[in-house]
Amino acid sequence: MSLHSAFNDKVVKPTCGFCQYDFRKGQAKSDGEADDIIDEAIKFYRVNIFFKNYEILGPADRLLIYLIVYINHLIKTVEKDTDGVAALKKMIEIAKKPVPKPSEPKFFMNSIFNDAKSPKESDDYQAYLKEAKEETAKRLIPYLFDSEGRTLLFKYWVGLSKRKFMGYDFS
């Protein structure tokens, strides 16, 4: 059974078919603090990556799909790296690349995201996903590398990156 976001019931600032949920930026989660959407994506990656079909129950699931496919792309990109610092640099470079608009043919999630209704919505969409990508990259490093950033941990994450969630490939 696939895992769905706990945020599906919360509609916050709808943008292109998903919602812009708040997430922590640059800080570790404190004890007792609830997961945010990025925590969910990282936590659900190992389960959901096996699914070719995924029922979308709400706007948070759309964002979850995007982030899981993005995480998969990041892992593929750094799978041969042995240095966490170099891997993080690569991940941040990828995160800083412009986010295609849902209407652009090269966007892999055209069928799931909606077109922007205004230039402001398009700008908000791109800025939010860029921030979410950067934060996801930063939070993924501790899952992949030891505390000194020198040894690749959990090689099964790399093995999972050979799969395609819902047949999507981040491009």
Side-chain angles (χ1 to χ4, degrees), residues 145-160:
F145 292 89
D146 67 6
S147 60
E148 295 174 10
R150 296 179 189 213
T151 307
L152 181 66
L153 299 173
F154 305 115
K155 295 190 187 238
Y156 60 83
W157 283 73
V158 173
L160 292 174

Side-chain angles (χ1 to χ4, degrees), residues 16 27 32 46-47 74 101 116 126 135-136:
C16 298
Q27 61 196 29
R46 294 181 302 171
V47 172
L74 290 178
K101 296 175 185 167
Q126 288 180 307
E135 188 61 31
T136 301

Side-chain angles (χ1 to χ4, degrees), residues 35-53:
D35 287 347
D36 61 22
I37 192 75
I38 294 173
D39 293 327
E40 277 190 350
I42 293 170
K43 192 184 327 182
F44 294 174
Y45 170 80
R46 294 181 302 171
V47 172
N48 285 349
I49 195 69
F50 290 102
F51 291 95
K52 291 184 181 189
N53 298 311

Side-chain angles (χ1 to χ4, degrees), residues 57-120:
L57 301 180
D61 280 346
R62 287 183 178 87
L63 184 55
L64 197 63
I65 292 167
Y66 181 88
L67 292 174
I68 288 172
V69 174
Y70 174 66
I71 289 167
N72 203 43
H73 177 69
L74 290 178
I75 294 169
K76 283 181 190 176
T77 302
V78 301
E79 69 184 354
K80 303 237 188 286
D81 286 342
T82 55
D83 177 29
V85 175
L88 180 59
K89 277 186 179 179
K90 277 185 186 177
M91 290 178 172
I92 295 298
E93 284 177 26
I94 291 168
K96 289 187 181 206
K97 289 183 181 178
V99 177
K101 296 175 185 167
S103 59
E104 291 180 23
K106 65 182 178 180
F107 184 56
F108 70 95
M109 288 183 64
N110 277 335
S111 62
I112 295 177
F113 280 22
N114 302 328
D115 290 341
K117 295 176 182 140
S118 69
K120 182 181 179 344

Side-chain angles (χ1 to χ4, degrees), residues 113-133:
F113 280 22
N114 302 328
D115 290 341
K117 295 176 182 140
S118 69
K120 182 181 179 344
E121 183 179 8
S122 179
D123 292 344
D124 288 349
Y125 154 85
Q126 288 180 307
Y128 179 82
L129 285 183
K130 185 178 178 205
E131 271 187 75
K133 286 175 17 182

